[in-house]
Amino acid sequence: MPTAWGLPAGLQSRRLLGFALATFLAHALSLSFIRFGGPLAPAWPPAGLALAALLTLPRDHRRLVFGGYVAIDTISNLLQGFATPPALAYLCVGLFELTIAEALIRRAAPTPIRFARLRDVWVVLGGTFAATAVASLPAALVARHFNQSAFVESAAVWMIGDMIAFIIVTPLTLLLLAMPALRTTFQRRSSAYIETVVLGLVIVSSSVWALLERRIVGEVTASPYLLIVPVLWATLRFGQVGALLAVLGVSSVGMILLVNGQPLGLGGASAGGMLTALQVFVGVLSVTSLVLATALRETQETAAQNARMVEALRSSEQRLRQSQKMEAIGQLAGGVAHDFNNVLSAIMLQLEELRLVRDMPRMARELVTDVESSAQRAARLTRQLLVFSRQQAMQQHLLDLTALVQTHIRLLRRVVPSSHTLTLTTPPEPLVIAADGGMLEQVLLNLVLNARDAQPQGGAIHIETRRDVVNESVPDLPVGDYAVFRVQDTGTGIADEHLPRLFEPFFTTKPPGQGTGLGLATAYGIVQQHRGTIRVTSVRGRGTTMDVWLPLSHEPLPVPSPAAPAIDTPEDTAPAPIAAVLVVEDEATVRRLMERVLEREGYRVFTAVNGVEALDWWLRNQASVDLVLTDLVMPGGMSGTALARELRRANPMLPIAFTSGYDPEYDPSDVTMMPGENFIPKPATTEQILAVVRRQLEGAERTTF
């Protein structure tokens, strides 16, 4: 269970137990050194461990840390016979010192300290130096009162000992808590184990050789300063942890030599003097190595961060270029589709006119049928272009994704040959989404056709719908509940170099004439319009899996209303009413064909080339017009919607129908256009044109009545 500080309760308990055990062992070891002529420990580890615990654990654990520190100190003193009034006084001074150090460090830097920047090192050094300096005064008073020690010497011993604890044990403890990074280093380089053993042997042997008293030139002893070489090796190879462990190794060797009565080459006439010299040497060595290691880490992390920023910038640049390219292609595709739909509209209307010719030879009728089939295929292609360019309106309503797939599976079985098996797995509960059912059917069809083509010799295609949850937000999927439908095949798979271009328009690996490269691009465009995404997993030779993620809706499915009884209407039987229609169309061929179709049904037809000409004509002859049928996109500076606004200012009840090679985009501030109601998408059949005209005129009559 996470706490307010961020660590799970179990991890906090393990850390507390680890701190307690380490502090007890360090305290016992330090007390054992006292038997060899005084407090010879070159660092006072318990103080460093206690400060690390205060900086690592939550603030509400301070009482527990201080209580544990007092208990461990008391138990250790009792076990080794040092439970005396001076020990209790030193304990109180130590608690005072820890309180000041923690307060200063927490005020200067956020905790826990990571030692990722040089500033962290200076904060710890500054805070602990100030706390030790303040605490050394009462410590000296205690020493003078109980031991009759010199005031300055007592303060110096206290300051040097505790400062070394704070600059070696505290940083080392905090860094070791980030052991995953260290483990990763060793996992990546198995040779690091061998190098560590070799380095340890070098540090021990070189410390013994360098610290023993030897005169190189007269009274000069320079051999201890050669220890900077192995310490620098540890710093460069293993960073901050390696540097501090190397210094700790040097101090341990020096301590052992002192315990065994060996004189050190650092100076000092007595054991206490040699201890002080060793402490100063270790302190300088630890600060130097820690600062160097932290500077190297900060430089490396800054370089890595800069590299990530450069990579992110390059990636953003690439995405921007791709988005601009896709936008340009989309605009081009939409424009081509619009112009092509005008051409197709003329072709399909002319084919319908040809069908009305009597005594047409059988071969000519077959040719007309073939041309009509090709025109319909071209119309489907232009619809794909419009979907890809997002210029096709999406008519969303609540639906069950599982029911949609189950209904569409019958059509899919017709396009999948008998050499392929098509299976479906669905959950028992409905997957309610707000979507355009027709668009999703097109996505499913495109994915199944790709799965079929990936298995030319036959294979298995499996479709599955399920519910899934995204708990962590990713760039293409925010947190939430999703409905997923999967299309999986056992085909040839997709090459790694092709995966990044999979949804690019006009990109295909199929032979010429077998693919347009718009199927997956169209599917991806539709799914993005539904605020979803497509994820692709492919293994060469084993197949491809495509998962379509769509946001689930938390609204219930609408209850279907009972079917109304059929009522005979005069729509299909009664002759068309005599009415005047103004056709506004910039394409001459389409304009003439619409005029012919409407006149054959008994309408009086007037025509205009663009919106400006239509508005001028209407202002002169408005009383004689019952319906305006206008294209949406026209030259001359006035679109169909702009023309409609001008006409309705003078006659709000005037019925207006629209037609365009684009599908309309809904805009509440504009005229609402519904295919089959007041909008005729190009290319359209004669029946579609006449049905919309009749519906608009009948609606106007009912309103007038």
Side-chain angles (χ1 to χ4, degrees):
M1 182 177 183
T3 64
W5 189 70
L7 282 178
L11 181 56
Q12 288 187 20
S13 301
R14 289 195 296 273
R15 284 194 175 180
L16 278 171
L17 182 61
F19 276 124
L21 181 60
T23 303
F24 178 79
L25 293 176
H27 196 280
L29 182 63
S30 299
L31 288 180
S32 67
F33 289 147
I34 295 177
R35 297 174 181 175
F36 297 95
L40 296 178
W44 192 249
L49 288 169
L51 181 59
L54 289 172
L55 295 176
T56 301
L57 296 170
R59 301 254 356 223
D60 56 7
H61 284 52
R62 295 174 73 251
R63 293 181 181 178
L64 190 59
V65 172
F66 281 124
Y69 186 72
V70 171
I72 290 170
D73 185 277
T74 304
I75 293 172
S76 181
N77 283 331
L78 287 172
L79 290 176
Q80 301 195 56
F82 289 97
T84 60
L88 180 60
Y90 280 127
L91 173 62
C92 294
V93 175
L95 295 176
F96 173 65
E97 180 184 38
L98 289 172
T99 302
I100 296 175
E102 182 208 7
L104 291 175
I105 293 173
R106 282 186 180 273
R107 179 179 293 273
T111 54
I113 303 291
R114 294 180 56 245
F115 291 99
R117 301 171 300 166
L118 278 173
R119 182 178 181 276
D120 296 340
V121 177
W122 301 130
V123 165
V124 172
L125 289 178
T128 54
F129 180 81
T132 305
V134 173
S136 65
L137 300 178
L141 292 174
V142 170
R144 183 177 179 83
H145 176 74
F146 288 102
N147 302 326
Q148 299 300 316
S149 302
F151 183 86
V152 176
E153 182 182 352
S154 300
V157 170
W158 181 278
M159 284 191 64
I160 295 173
D162 279 12
M163 272 304 298
I164 294 179
F166 293 144
I167 63 178
I168 295 180
V169 178
T170 299
L172 184 59
T173 304
L174 294 176
L175 289 166
L176 286 176
L177 292 177
M179 277 297 290
L182 190 63
R183 284 198 297 269
T184 303
T185 301
F186 279 86
Q187 288 170 357
R188 291 177 180 173
R189 296 188 294 116
S190 58
S191 60
Y193 290 104
I194 301 174
E195 187 178 2
T196 301
V197 174
V198 173
L199 179 58
L201 294 175
V202 170
I203 288 174
V204 171
S205 58
S206 60
S207 297
V208 172
W209 179 84
L211 292 177
L212 287 176
E213 186 176 15
R214 289 188 181 87
R215 306 296 180 188
I216 296 179
V217 180
E219 298 297 322
V220 178
T221 301
S223 55
Y225 300 99
L226 297 178
L227 288 173
I228 193 65
V229 176
V231 172
L232 184 61
W233 177 9
T235 301
L236 295 177
R237 296 295 291 166
F238 299 103
Q240 297 159 302
V241 173
L244 293 174
L245 285 175
V247 173
L248 199 58
V250 171
S251 64
S252 300
V253 171
M255 182 64 213
I256 293 171
L257 292 175
L258 278 177
V259 168
N260 287 279
Q262 298 289 333
L264 301 183
L266 296 169
S270 63
M274 285 187 285
L275 170 62
T276 302
L278 176 62
Q279 288 176 325
V280 173
F281 176 75
V282 169
V284 172
L285 194 62
S286 61
V287 171
T288 304
S289 58
L290 181 60
V291 168
L292 175 60
T294 306
L296 289 174
R297 177 181 174 182
E298 184 175 4
T299 302
Q300 291 170 351
E301 290 188 357
T302 302
Q305 184 178 7
N306 290 341
R308 286 192 296 269
M309 290 176 61
V310 169
E311 183 60 30
L313 183 60
R314 186 181 296 114
S315 177
S316 299
E317 235 180 291
Q318 186 176 2
R319 285 196 301 269
L320 178 61
R321 275 197 227 100
Q322 180 71 6
S323 134
Q324 290 174 338
K325 181 176 75 174
M326 297 292 281
E327 183 180 358
I329 293 176
Q331 291 175 349
L332 175 63
V336 169
H338 171 261
D339 293 339
F340 198 40
N341 275 335
N342 278 329
V343 176
L344 287 175
S345 183
I347 292 173
M348 294 181 73
L349 288 175
Q350 286 172 336
L351 290 173
E352 290 193 23
E353 292 294 312
L354 279 175
R355 285 184 176 279
L356 298 176
V357 177
R358 296 181 179 180
D359 301 329
M360 183 184 295
R362 183 177 60 84
M363 182 178 293
R365 289 190 178 277
E366 291 176 355
L367 291 174
V368 168
T369 301
D370 291 342
V371 173
E372 193 171 27
S373 176
S374 298
Q376 289 171 351
R377 285 179 55 197
R380 286 195 296 271
L381 178 60
T382 57
R383 278 196 296 273
Q384 286 186 330
L385 285 170
L386 287 172
V387 171
F388 163 71
S389 61
R390 299 190 181 185
Q391 290 170 345
Q392 180 179 9
M394 184 171 61
Q395 302 180 34
Q396 284 189 339
H397 57 278
L398 292 177
L399 55 87
D400 179 8
L401 178 64
T402 298
L404 181 142
V405 174
Q406 288 172 337
T407 303
H408 200 56
I409 199 73
R410 300 189 188 94
L411 170 64
L412 298 176
R413 294 189 190 280
R414 296 194 188 103
V415 300
V416 174
S418 57
S419 56
H420 296 65
T421 59
L422 183 62
T423 56
L424 175 64
T425 303
T426 58
E429 71 277 1
L431 301 175
V432 182
I433 58 175
D436 185 316
M439 284 186 170
L440 291 188
E441 288 177 355
Q442 187 174 359
V443 172
L444 183 58
L445 177 62
N446 285 340
L447 297 185
V448 170
L449 290 179
N450 273 277
R452 178 201 67 185
D453 296 340
Q455 306 173 97
Q457 306 303 321
I461 302 174
H462 181 65
I463 303 174
E464 176 189 359
T465 61
R466 71 177 191 275
R467 179 192 181 102
D468 213 327
V469 179
V470 175
N471 294 318
E472 294 185 5
S473 182
V474 291
D476 56 349
L477 282 180
V479 173
D481 298 328
Y482 288 85
V484 183
F485 73 81
R486 166 177 291 182
V487 177
Q488 188 174 25
D489 65 65
T490 57
T492 55
I494 303 170
D496 292 340
E497 62 269 20
H498 293 155
L499 279 173
R501 303 186 59 194
L502 200 59
F503 299 114
E504 284 189 11
F506 310 112
F507 173 76
T508 180
T509 58
K510 298 176 183 177
Q514 295 188 18
T516 62
L518 278 175
L520 290 180
T522 301
Y524 190 71
I526 291 174
V527 174
Q528 280 196 316
Q529 280 184 275
H530 286 80
R531 296 179 294 111
T533 191
I534 302 179
R535 291 184 173 176
V536 183
T537 306
S538 184
V539 179
R540 290 306 303 271
R542 296 179 58 183
T544 301
T545 300
M546 294 200 178
D547 291 323
V548 177
W549 294 67
L550 300 166
L552 271 173
S553 174
H554 298 289
E555 298 182 23
L557 281 172
V559 179
S561 56
I567 300 176
D568 293 334
T569 61
E571 181 176 339
D572 299 326
T573 57
I578 302 300
V581 180
L582 173 61
V583 176
V584 188
E585 172 62 59
D586 59 300
E587 287 287 334
T589 306
V590 177
R591 187 171 63 249
R592 286 195 302 270
L593 287 168
M594 281 190 170
E595 182 180 6
R596 185 181 303 166
V597 167
L598 293 171
E599 285 180 344
R600 188 169 57 242
E601 291 296 311
Y603 296 104
R604 289 186 299 121
V605 182
F606 306 97
T607 61
V609 174
N610 53 49
V612 176
E613 181 181 325
L615 184 60
D616 291 341
W617 186 94
W618 190 84
L619 291 174
R620 296 192 306 269
N621 306 279
Q622 53 183 299
S624 58
V625 174
D626 300 300
L627 170 70
V628 175
L629 177 59
T630 177
D631 194 5
L632 280 175
V633 181
M634 296 178 293
M638 178 176 287
S639 65
T641 52
L643 173 63
R645 283 194 296 270
E646 294 296 330
L647 296 179
R648 286 208 166 110
R649 283 176 185 168
N651 184 1
M653 307 306 296
L654 177 68
I656 301 176
F658 303 89
T659 181
S660 178
Y662 294 110
D663 275 0
E665 297 183 1
Y666 294 105
D667 181 0
S669 64
D670 205 343
V671 181
T672 300
M673 286 166 277
M674 297 289 295
E677 295 290 335
N678 65 338
F679 178 75
I680 305 169
K682 293 179 181 178
T685 63
T686 301
E687 288 78 8
Q688 291 173 324
I689 297 172
L690 294 176
V692 170
V693 170
R694 291 191 190 113
R695 190 169 288 113
Q696 287 296 305
L697 289 173
E698 290 171 359
E701 288 177 359
R702 286 193 295 269
T703 302
T704 303
F705 178 77

